[in-house]
Amino acid sequence: MKKLFFLFATAMLFAGCSGPKEVKEYNQGINIIPTPVELTRQDGSFTLRKSTHFTANDKEAQKVARFFAEKLKASTGYELQLADGADNAISLTLTKGMEPEAYTLDVTPNAVCIQASTASGLFYGMQTFLQLLPAEVESASLVKTVDWTAPCVSVKDAPRFHWRGFMADAGRHFQTVENVKKQIDVLASFKINTMHWHLTEDQGWRIEVKKYPRLTEVGAYRTEGDGTRYGGFYTQEQVKDIVAYATERFITIVPEIEVPGHEMAAISAYPNLACKGDTLSPRVVWAIEDWVMCPGKEDMFTMLEDIFAEIAPLFPGEYFHIGGDECPKDRWKECPQCQARIRKEGLTATKEHTAEERLQSYVIGRVEKMLNKLGVTKALDCSAISKADENNIRNFTNAVVYDKPLGFSGRDEDYIYGRFAIANLIILIWANKFSPGNYKLDSFFSDRTMVVFKDNDPENNEPHPITHYVLLSEKDFIDA
């Protein structure tokens, strides 16, 4: 009798252990970021089990399935296979007629069905499904304290913005390869498709250039105020690895090599890049440095050509950012070689622009042509229109401009509207100043017009770091 009671008690104990587990507060409800276009809650839930499998109707769909099978294995311990059969399956189906990154997701008690016209759409549909599961699904180690259930829903979703981006500033704060990959994983989970990688700054040069080893031997490290040595850089092989890692997650990396300002780290490594060959070291404080590259020297352009020839092939995307902003020109005014360049190129002052401002536009235009020769179709720069030569900038294929020049007292649209014929335009706007109808830019709106929202405009009118990118259509911009 005692033995029978012991067996009964043991059975009840195990039955209790296998019952529903406590749902944490943060796992309650439906929490999908970004919010889908349409979501309808249905009755019931789907439970992910060891026996759950993937089905896929195409090689690209199979690649997406294998990616998420590997990801789910880490937290659930389940080894989900590709197999036939609709019951207890996660079905990934490539079909026709949907927008490039759009998807539909249907979760029923018996199956999960995702349809899209592209592999990226299937990828985003799976990211939405993962957000329906307990948050512990993102764990890199096995979790046994949750039930892997997702509420039944029907979702129709497509991105509002073509360009959904994030800026990683490695120039000032170096991140290890491991941490860059962690950041990419987070971006992918929120369907971000672009990472702007800021690789050079006054405070550090972060990418290997084999022809110029001192860029990383000297320029990648600075001595902090407490005497510690800080820095690091990425080898070209590491860059290839990170780019491939991002590509697998449908993220394009846009590199930035800043010219002609914000290059004190490079000048520290190769002093001849500056107007005077003084011995310097990478900057240890922020703000804007007046030591800049010398466009009067042909050697500067030769070195940039060599640098871009090594770096551009590492990034298969169509964009390459070349900085172009915040370049003090006092040293150019005093530099005989810069003044000789101004005379040679006919960059005389106009009513709107100084000769040195036109010299900066000359630099940006010439660098863009370097990149075009290397297959980069869209070289981006941040030259404010107020600091650039209007005649030169009209000839650029791509440009990044501030919403209006500092001190301009008229209406924003009067300054920008109709003045520039730029195929790929990026407009930087203070987030607290944006409102519908403020900017009438229909004369050059296209699917390549991008608006970058920055932090709120501070009192001193100094630009804040870019926080995020969005790509707007004309309708979005006017009617947002």
Side-chain angles (χ1 to χ4, degrees), residues 207-238:
I207 184 167
E208 176 190 29
V209 179
K210 294 177 181 179
K211 191 168 183 177
Y212 300 100
R214 286 177 59 83
L215 285 172
T216 47
E217 291 172 359
V218 175
Y221 300 92
R222 62 178 183 259
T223 302
E224 302 283 38
D226 61 1
T228 58
R229 189 170 184 253
Y230 175 86
F233 67 94
Y234 308 101
T235 67
Q236 292 186 15
E237 290 305 311
Q238 288 174 324

Side-chain angles (χ1 to χ4, degrees), residues 89-105:
I90 301 174
S91 174
L92 304 183
T93 304
L94 281 173
T95 186
K96 295 181 179 180
M98 300 174 68
E99 294 179 34
E101 296 177 297
Y103 67 90
T104 61
L105 166 66

Side-chain angles (χ1 to χ4, degrees), residues 188-459:
S189 70
F190 295 119
K191 306 179 181 73
I192 299 298
N193 65 2
T194 307
M195 189 180 90
H196 174 175
W197 203 8
H198 190 59
L199 291 166
T200 66
E201 254 302 339
D202 291 321
Q203 292 78 17
W205 183 283
R206 304 297 180 207
I207 184 167
E208 176 190 29
V209 179
K210 294 177 181 179
K211 191 168 183 177
Y212 300 100
R214 286 177 59 83
L215 285 172
T216 47
E217 291 172 359
V218 175
Y221 300 92
R222 62 178 183 259
T223 302
E224 302 283 38
D226 61 1
T228 58
R229 189 170 184 253
Y230 175 86
F233 67 94
Y234 308 101
T235 67
Q236 292 186 15
E237 290 305 311
Q238 288 174 324
V239 169
K240 291 177 184 177
D241 179 47
I242 289 171
V243 170
Y245 191 87
T247 300
E248 188 181 23
R249 289 151 181 79
F250 298 93
I251 293 175
T252 298
I253 294 183
V254 177
E256 180 178 356
I257 303 296
E258 191 142 6
V259 297
H262 287 268
E263 281 297 5
M264 192 171 178
I267 294 169
S268 299
Y270 294 93
N272 193 52
L273 284 172
C275 293
K276 295 181 179 179
D278 293 0
T279 300
L280 305 168
S281 59
R283 189 176 172 91
V284 297
V285 294
W286 294 174
I288 300 173
E289 176 57 56
D290 62 359
W291 282 99
V292 298
M293 290 181 168
C294 179
K297 298 178 179 179
E298 193 61 26
D299 287 349
M300 183 205 84
F301 291 102
T302 300
M303 184 170 176
L304 287 175
E305 284 182 328
D306 293 338
I307 289 171
F308 290 131
E310 287 195 32
I311 293 177
L314 304 176
F315 299 92
E318 58 185 350
Y319 290 97
F320 197 111
H321 204 296
I322 54 177
D325 65 333
E326 299 175 337
C327 180
K329 303 167 186 64
D330 292 341
R331 296 183 187 276
W332 294 357
K333 294 177 182 178
E334 302 170 357
C335 174
Q337 294 175 93
C338 287
Q339 293 304 309
R341 175 79 70 184
I342 287 171
R343 292 190 296 271
K344 179 182 178 181
E345 302 296 336
L347 304 174
T348 54
T350 65
K351 182 178 179 181
E352 292 86 5
H353 304 286
T354 68
E356 289 73 28
E357 287 173 344
R358 297 194 67 197
L359 179 59
Q360 181 175 351
S361 290
Y362 167 83
V363 173
I364 297 303
R366 191 165 166 181
V367 169
E368 182 190 32
K369 290 181 175 65
M370 291 179 195
L371 287 165
N372 290 157
K373 289 179 181 178
L374 294 168
V376 177
T377 57
K378 297 175 176 63
L380 306 176
D381 79 274
C382 282
S383 297
I385 291 180
S386 59
K387 299 175 184 177
D389 172 28
E390 203 167 305
N391 293 325
N392 280 349
I393 203 170
R394 281 183 183 275
N395 298 322
F396 290 176
T397 308
N398 314 278
V400 183
V401 298
Y402 289 109
D403 53 346
K404 63 178 180 178
L406 303 181
F408 181 78
S409 58
R411 296 184 306 168
D412 298 337
E413 60 266 32
D414 289 342
Y415 182 75
I416 302 177
Y417 177 64
R419 297 189 72 180
F420 303 102
I422 301 168
N424 297 283
L425 177 68
I426 299 180
I427 308 152
L428 279 69
I429 297 175
W430 296 117
N432 65 336
K433 287 186 175 179
F434 176 76
S435 61
N438 278 359
Y439 302 84
K440 298 178 180 178
L441 300 165
D442 53 289
S443 65
F444 43 52
F445 254 107
S446 71
D447 63 351
R448 293 298 186 184
T449 302
M450 182 173 72
V451 174
V452 179
F453 288 97
K454 300 182 293 184
D455 290 338
N456 290 346
D457 187 7
E459 292 182 2

